[in-house]
Amino acid sequence: MTDTLVQFLRARLVEKQDHARSMAPIVARGAGSMDVRPELAAAFAQEMVTAAEARLRLFEETIYPYLWVDGRAGRLADLQMRLMAFEYTAHQDYRPGWAPDEAAEVS
């Protein structure tokens, strides 16, 4: 189960990063048509990219390495992964068994 969830989440995070990178210039250039100040649109566009990159790094560097660790650290990593994946419940490949409330107790 964990391997499948890892693959699902990693794919969604990379996908979101790619979308943010491709949409950022469009958002920044389209400020006038959205009646938004250009500097606000540019800042928002950069925030989209930075947030997507940060989510992917968070997963790869602070969650993934601990998923197969025994004890509290492993359970906490599993819960964090489930919480990150919960954002994608509307995706056709998301499985209800991945919900955070299905995680083992973290205590």
Side-chain angles (χ1 to χ4, degrees):
M1 185 282 300
T2 299
D3 289 337
T4 307
L5 179 51
V6 165
Q7 292 170 0
F8 171 83
L9 181 57
R10 187 175 279 139
R12 300 295 74 75
L13 293 171
V14 168
E15 192 175 76
K16 185 165 261 188
Q17 183 180 43
D18 291 344
H19 288 155
R21 286 179 177 161
S22 64
M23 291 299 297
I26 296 167
V27 169
R29 282 192 310 264
S33 65
M34 294 183 289
D35 198 29
V36 175
R37 293 194 332 249
E39 63 273 11
L40 289 179
F44 178 73
Q46 182 56 48
E47 289 170 10
M48 287 187 337
V49 172
T50 304
E53 291 171 350
R55 281 188 186 118
L56 184 56
R57 284 191 65 191
L58 177 71
F59 176 71
E60 294 293 351
E61 296 175 19
T62 69
I63 297 172
Y64 179 75
Y66 299 94
L67 287 173
W68 291 274
V69 172
D70 289 332
R72 188 171 195 276
R75 290 189 306 273
L76 186 57
D78 181 71
L79 176 59
Q80 290 170 327
M81 177 177 61
R82 290 168 182 269
L83 287 166
M84 289 185 79
F86 197 60
E87 177 179 352
Y88 303 102
T89 57
H91 191 279
Q92 66 184 13
D93 296 330
Y94 182 85
R95 299 179 186 172
W98 294 341
D101 57 338
E102 299 294 325
E105 187 68 31
V106 177
S107 58

